[in-house]
């Protein structure tokens, strides 16, 4: 439970923080379309998890054409077209490509605190390329990237969609919005540097202008900092940052422009105000109380609770490259409470999507959170649904990812054994197909 390394995402507006890269304009929601032209064929799965039914089916065939599923059913009755030989996956269990709804592909864990100041914006793109590849190889075929500097995430998304580099399908937020001195700002340097992060905007109209700017430069969603954070300097995770009035303005503007809103919120008041303002998801939700849980259910707000990274932060601590001492203190205070509140929110029936804050821990280890979700109250099938059906719903992509059915992308992963019996199987994905193209295979 963290919040991103602020120095990395909250880079200065002054000085040449411009990404020089391909200018490929892709409308929100079309990301991933370029994969479609890639592949046709058939995949024979000895076992296949139907995530909707929560059952493992035997001897299944998936047919795909133009990167999308055309048919799925028992191998005995689902015949490939003439001339198509099915690819076999002996002994493996197939399931839809996994989705992580909270990642930071352009950020690495060893760039926390002051260490993050030395990472240029162009270097973040290169780091993002490497992390995108690692994320895809680990079975996550779709991600929501919630916070990046210099619209590096937009470039990454478009490079992947164009087929220039390998990586998950992405929705991206660009620079997160937040108050002066808050979790989205860079609070590391003294006043003489006059350093303000890209996403800082105080007051309803300034915040609306930032929403418009992010939309102008191609983001799919808006990320806001409703409360303080763990990895930022000098703020308090339990304290509200954006006011209700500011959040209402942001949500109104974002929704008007067709963008959903994800709110980073640890503190109780920040969580309830974000939900009342109409955000689509609350990230972290560490100190959510009964009222917050009830409001989230009433408003259909998703909770995206990153309950694995606490282990990583506390295990590596300050050794993980410049992490501020205060960050470790904050994490110790919040980690356990967040997990207990995850259990309570799940038991109460709150909507939950899988999100891990990858970047705080190494990319590619995303699936380690499944075991935590099971340890804290979910069944394996519920945890898998959070990373498939639910995450797709949160992203507004239920028509293309998160389940295997005709018309959806042929994004399929496979593991040894039965992940509904042992969810840790997902930590060792053996086969990855994206849009009908094999990206990793036995
Ligand atoms: Zn984050």
């Amino acid at each position: 439970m963290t919040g991103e390394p602020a120095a990395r995402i909250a880079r200065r507006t002054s000085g040449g923080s411009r990404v020089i890269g391909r200018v490929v304009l892709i409308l929100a929601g079309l990301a991933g379309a370029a994969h479609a032209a890639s592949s046709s064929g058939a995949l024979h799965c000895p076992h296949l998890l139907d995530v909707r039914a929560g059952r493992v089916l035997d001897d299944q065939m998936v047919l795909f054409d133009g990167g999308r599923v055309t048919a799925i059913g028992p191998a005995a009755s689902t015949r490939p077209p003439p001339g198509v030989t099915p690819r076999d996956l002996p002994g493996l269990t197939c399931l839809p490509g996994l989705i992580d709804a909270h990642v930071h592909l352009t950020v690495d864990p060893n760039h926390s605190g002051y260490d993050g100041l030395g990472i240029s914006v162009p270097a973040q793109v290169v780091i993002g390329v490497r992390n995108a590849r690692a994320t895809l190889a680990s079975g996550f075929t779709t991600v929501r990237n919630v916070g990046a500097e210099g619209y590096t995430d937009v470039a990454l998304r478009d490079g992947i969609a164009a087929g220039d580099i390998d990586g998950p399908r992405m929705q991206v937020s660009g620079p997160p919005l937040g108050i002066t001195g808050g979790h989205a700002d860079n609070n590391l340097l003294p006043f003489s540097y006059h350093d303000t992060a890209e996403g800082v905007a105080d007051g309803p109209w300034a915040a609306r202008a930032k929403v418009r700017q992010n939309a102008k430069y191609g983001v799919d969603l808006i990320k806001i900092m409703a409360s303080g954070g763990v990895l930022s300097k000098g703020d308090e995770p339990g304290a509200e940052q954006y006011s209700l009035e500011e959040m209402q303005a942001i949500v109104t503007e974002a929704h008007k422009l067709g963008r959903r809103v994800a709110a980073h919120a640890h503190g109780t008041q920040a969580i309830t105000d974000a939900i009342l303002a109409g955000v689509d998801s609350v990230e972290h939700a560490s100190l959510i109380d009964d009222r917050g849980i009830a409001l989230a259910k009433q408003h259909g707000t998703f909770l995206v609770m990153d309950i694995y990274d606490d282990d990583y932060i506390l295990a590596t601590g300050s050794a993980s490259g410049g992490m501020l001492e205060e960050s470790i203190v904050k994490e110790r205070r919040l980690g356990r409470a967040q997990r207990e509140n995850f259990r309570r929110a799940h038991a109460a029936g709150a909507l939950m999507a899988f999100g891990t804050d990858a970047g705080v821990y190494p990319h590619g280890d995303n699936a380690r959170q499944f075991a935590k979700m099971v340890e804290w109250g979910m069944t394996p099938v519920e945890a898998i649904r959070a990373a498939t059906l639910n995450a797709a719903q949160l992203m507004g992509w239920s028509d293309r990812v998160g389940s295997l059915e005709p018309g959806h992308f042929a994004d399929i992963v496979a593991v040894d054994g039965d992940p509904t019996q042992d969810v840790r199987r997902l930590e060792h994905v053996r086969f990855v197909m994206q849009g009908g193209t094999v990206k990793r295979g036995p």
Side-chain angles (χ1 to χ4, degrees):
M1 151 257 357
T2 56
E4 36 295 313
R8 292 294 317 283
I9 292 160
R11 194 59 60 104
R12 40 221 134 314
T13 42
S14 56
S17 65
R18 292 238 158 68
V19 179
I20 298 165
R22 304 177 47 136
V23 180
V24 182
L25 288 178
I26 294 186
L27 294 172
L30 289 186
H35 293 289
S38 46
S39 194
S40 302
L43 192 66
H44 178 234
C45 298
H47 314 285
L48 184 145
L49 173 60
D50 178 338
V51 289
R52 220 177 280 281
R55 282 190 304 136
V56 176
L57 310 171
D58 291 335
D59 201 22
Q60 296 288 300
M61 186 72 75
V62 186
L63 308 182
F64 49 93
D65 186 29
R68 290 181 186 259
V69 174
T70 53
I72 179 167
S77 56
T78 310
R79 301 268 180 217
V84 173
T85 308
R87 186 188 177 102
D88 208 4
L89 296 173
L92 301 190
T93 302
C94 297
L95 65 156
L98 301 168
I99 304 169
D100 191 329
H102 191 129
V103 303
H104 302 279
L105 291 181
T106 59
V107 175
D108 275 341
N110 62 341
H111 295 141
S112 194
Y114 285 89
D115 288 10
L117 291 176
I119 314 298
S120 72
V121 169
Q124 291 170 47
V125 183
V126 177
I127 289 164
V129 169
R130 184 237 295 143
N131 290 333
R133 198 187 301 129
T135 301
L136 179 62
S138 70
F140 287 81
T141 52
T142 300
V143 300
R144 203 175 58 141
N145 204 84
V146 284
E149 269 185 71
Y151 301 101
T152 46
D153 49 357
V154 172
L156 205 53
R157 177 199 68 194
D158 293 350
I160 292 166
D164 294 339
I165 53 172
D166 272 342
R169 304 177 194 285
M170 294 178 74
Q171 285 186 1
V172 307
S173 74
L177 275 57
I179 65 166
T180 296
H183 185 51
D185 204 355
N186 176 13
N187 308 325
L188 294 162
L189 297 170
F191 176 69
S192 56
Y193 286 87
H194 302 289
D195 193 4
T196 299
E198 291 164 355
V200 170
D202 297 303
W205 281 104
R208 278 181 188 256
K210 279 290 175 195
V211 172
R212 292 168 184 173
Q213 177 184 309
N214 278 357
K216 171 181 174 178
Y217 292 110
V219 306
D220 304 289
L221 75 147
I222 301 298
K223 167 80 179 291
I224 66 170
M225 303 308 192
S227 81
V230 170
L231 299 184
S232 42
K233 184 181 174 188
D235 68 349
E236 170 52 50
E240 186 166 49
Q241 292 196 340
Y242 264 138
S243 67
L244 175 60
E245 186 186 12
E246 287 168 313
M247 289 194 270
Q248 284 168 329
I250 290 167
V251 170
T252 303
E253 193 66 33
H255 285 176
K256 193 176 71 182
L257 297 176
R259 268 75 173 183
R260 297 186 181 194
V261 180
H264 157 110
H266 291 291
T268 310
Q269 185 69 41
I271 293 166
T272 53
D273 280 352
I275 296 168
L276 289 171
V279 304
D280 301 277
S281 63
V282 173
E283 314 294 310
H284 313 299
S286 309
L287 303 177
I288 193 167
D289 63 359
D290 288 339
R291 177 161 178 258
I293 292 169
L295 282 173
K297 287 179 65 179
Q298 185 190 330
H299 289 253
T301 315
F302 275 91
L303 304 181
V304 182
M305 300 178 75
D306 52 328
I307 60 169
Y308 159 70
D309 55 22
D310 182 55
D311 284 6
Y312 181 84
I313 292 169
L314 296 184
T316 53
S318 50
S320 110
M323 186 173 289
L324 302 170
E325 187 55 37
E326 73 168 76
S327 295
I328 297 163
V329 171
K330 291 181 199 174
E331 184 66 36
R332 280 206 194 97
R333 226 169 48 210
L334 284 177
R336 175 89 192 180
Q338 188 196 29
R339 290 170 179 194
E340 284 164 0
N341 290 332
F342 172 90
R343 188 199 287 283
R344 286 172 50 242
H346 170 63
L351 273 170
M352 292 187 139
F354 183 99
T356 65
D357 223 355
V360 167
Y361 67 89
H363 295 273
D365 287 349
N366 311 53
R368 292 186 182 190
Q369 186 170 290
F370 285 111
K372 285 287 153 197
M373 294 166 91
V374 170
E375 182 186 337
W376 290 90
M378 282 188 173
T379 66
V381 166
E382 286 169 338
I384 294 168
R385 278 190 190 130
T388 52
L389 293 169
N390 295 9
Q393 189 189 339
L394 167 59
M395 294 172 77
W397 277 4
S398 294
D399 61 346
R400 65 198 77 177
V401 297
S403 60
L404 295 174
E405 46 196 282
H408 287 204
F409 287 119
D411 293 355
I412 303 168
V413 300
V415 297
D416 281 313
D418 182 352
T420 69
Q421 298 302 312
D422 176 10
V423 83
R424 300 203 82 139
R425 299 280 184 179
L426 296 170
E427 294 174 19
H428 308 284
V429 165
R430 298 273 313 280
F431 173 84
V432 179
M433 172 179 277
Q434 186 190 40
T437 300
V438 176
K439 299 294 184 179
R440 174 181 191 154

